[in-house]
Amino acid sequence: MSTPVISAREADVLALLGEHLSNAEIAARLFISVRTVESHVSSLLRKLEVPDRRALSRRAPGPTPAGQARPAPALPAPLTAFVGRTRERGELATAVTERRLVTAVGLGGVGKTRLALAVAADVAGDFADGVCFVDLVPVADPGRVGAAVAAAMGVGEQPGRGIDDALVAALADRQALLVLDNCEQVRDGVAPFLERLLVSCPGIRVLATSRARLMVPFEWVFPVPPLSRVGGGESEAVALFRERAAAVGRAPAPAERDRIAALCERLDGMALAIELAAARWSTLGLDGLAAGLGDQLRILAGGPRADGRHRSVRAVLDWSHDLLEPQDRALLRRVSAFVAPFTAEAAAEVAGFAPLEAAAVTDGLGRLAEQSLLAVTPSDTGTRYQALETLRQYGTERLADAGELDDVRSRHLAWCLTGAAGLREGGGPHWRARFDAVAEDLRAALAWAAGRPEQRADACRLALSMAELAFTRNLLGEAQQRYEQAAVLAAGPDAAAALRQAAGVAGCRRLG
């Protein structure tokens, strides 16, 4: 009589029947549906010609031999509800079922892991051998990526065969989804490991999360954006804040939704920042949170029992910063002087690099964008880059720590003075757009210079330029404010002239 042939998944179910687990428990362990378990049990009863589950359990194998995969563990169970991401969840699920390797890329704290877990749960039924989740944070050696995956999938070593070889052999005929979380610090090990795994195991698909793409030719990159703020008080970002705030004792009233929307906008839709802000809602209220966001890195911190990397926004940014090369760290902190999107040429000037190093700056900005530390903003005048407000605050701290703050801010001020002068001299149909593109930087540079006695003369010049530009832009209130500011900063006849101009603007406002 021939030995019945059972599939790899049926073998997994049989092994768990030997542990006397229920269908629901088996489904949870293998991350498949109860109906699928029932189908496998029926098939096993027929193939092994036994009358019931008790008889099946007696046919279960003993301990798993070395080199064979045990059933993949269930996905980690999130402790809080998943909120929003409807569009991203659907698009990522489609990508995972159509492509061998999909990398969800985004800034730390944006919500990559939670999105990946939700998608993995959504598509688990499409994989006969389920889903396996591997957190690569504990892996410091790129050469140990395969060992970490093998440990998660229950594959042991074999005499005369390396662990990577044993893993490939065990997964060769499997139909499974492998979720690799936090790949950024071991990218050099993940890439070659996946190249071999996916070539040798045609039934394996991989969903990776990383702050930078893995740089392999068969990779499909899925950028994970901040939470949507579209819809104001009805947005996904507000929904997340309200859900997490309710968990700490008191749900915000519906009338507060617009104020919460403004708060989430200041947090750039960053999921971790919104959750940490919501956690302090019951003690600070919206007024306290709004006042404290001038120092997000201090106020957005969790408790001492939180996961180390996600205990605070600063911890998340420290993790990303420490993975950078020294030259990229320097560039990141120096471009934090910019408020609005900036060009590579502007970055080179403010960062203090020589003109001959402009190409190196462009390359560095590209690397920072790949690490999700800068956003790339296309424009009619060329590629521009921008950092989130939280990153700007972090970069300012790093500038101060490096003793570079005054030098970089001085160069930013000089850049703004040159730009303002160019706007005063030029015109044309795109003048308004050119002014709007740099206005926030001009205001930030002026605010910094006005408080420093050694920069008083330059601050006065910039205030006068801003007054004239604001008047041309029909911002009469700001124009009057800048003339009055210039009068305070100036001395002698210049102060009197500035006051007369301010009075003239005030007259225009009254006439208007």
Side-chain angles (χ1 to χ4, degrees), residues 14 47 60 113 137 152 174-175 184 235 242 249 270 294 297 366 371 419 421 430 469 504:
L14 182 60
K47 289 181 177 180
T113 299
V137 166
R174 295 249 168 173
Q175 304 286 329
E184 54 271 359
S235 67
R242 286 172 53 80
M270 185 177 176
L297 301 179
Q371 294 283 346
H430 302 297
L469 294 170

Side-chain angles (χ1 to χ4, degrees), residues 390-421:
T390 307
L391 269 166
R392 291 190 61 248
Q393 292 187 19
Y394 182 81
T396 300
E397 281 194 0
R398 290 287 180 171
L399 277 175
D401 292 342
E404 299 175 348
L405 184 58
D406 287 350
D407 287 343
V408 171
R409 286 288 177 83
S410 295
R411 289 194 293 268
H412 181 250
L413 174 62
W415 178 81
C416 287
L417 284 166
T418 301

Side-chain angles (χ1 to χ4, degrees), residues 5 10 67 82 111 173 181 198 247 265 276 321 338 376 425 494:
V5 177
E10 288 170 343
F82 185 81
D173 62 349
D181 196 32
L198 295 178
E265 190 65 42
L276 291 173
H321 178 270
F338 290 101
V376 180
E425 295 168 0
D494 290 340

Side-chain angles (χ1 to χ4, degrees), residues 122-142:
D122 291 341
V123 303
D126 296 335
F127 297 90
D129 295 304
V131 179
C132 180
F133 178 87
V134 185
D135 184 3
L136 294 178
V137 166
V139 182
D141 180 359

Side-chain angles (χ1 to χ4, degrees), residues 66 88 145 171 222 283 381 387 413 461 493:
E88 294 96 328
V145 171
L171 301 183
F222 185 91
T283 55
T381 57
L413 174 62
R461 288 173 52 209

Side-chain angles (χ1 to χ4, degrees), residues 7-19 21 25-32 37 40 60-65 67-75 128-134 149-156 167 170-171 174-178:
S7 69
R9 178 54 87 199
E10 288 170 343
D12 293 339
V13 171
L14 182 60
L16 294 177
L17 287 170
E19 298 180 23
L21 300 183
E25 291 170 327
I26 294 173
R29 183 78 67 85
L30 300 179
F31 217 81
I32 57 179
V37 175
H40 287 316
T64 305
Q68 294 184 14
R70 293 193 294 272
L75 291 171
D129 295 304
V131 179
C132 180
F133 178 87
V134 185
V149 175
M153 301 199 77
V155 175
L167 178 64
L171 301 183
R174 295 249 168 173
Q175 304 286 329
L177 174 65
L178 177 61

Side-chain angles (χ1 to χ4, degrees), residues 13 53 106 172 182 245-246 383 396 429 496:
V13 171
R53 291 171 64 94
N182 298 296
T383 302
T396 300

Side-chain angles (χ1 to χ4, degrees), residues 10-91:
E10 288 170 343
D12 293 339
V13 171
L14 182 60
L16 294 177
L17 287 170
E19 298 180 23
H20 306 291
L21 300 183
S22 67
N23 285 355
E25 291 170 327
I26 294 173
R29 183 78 67 85
L30 300 179
F31 217 81
I32 57 179
S33 69
V34 174
R35 180 173 296 181
T36 301
V37 175
E38 293 171 349
S39 175
H40 287 316
V41 171
S42 298
S43 177
L44 287 167
L45 290 171
R46 184 180 66 258
K47 289 181 177 180
L48 298 180
E49 299 179 346
V50 295
D52 52 33
R53 291 171 64 94
R54 179 175 296 181
L56 275 179
S57 67
R58 290 195 291 267
R59 299 287 296 272
T64 305
Q68 294 184 14
R70 293 193 294 272
L75 291 171
L79 299 178
T80 54
F82 185 81
V83 178
R85 298 284 194 193
T86 302
R87 178 187 62 81
E88 294 96 328
R89 189 170 180 173
E91 291 179 359

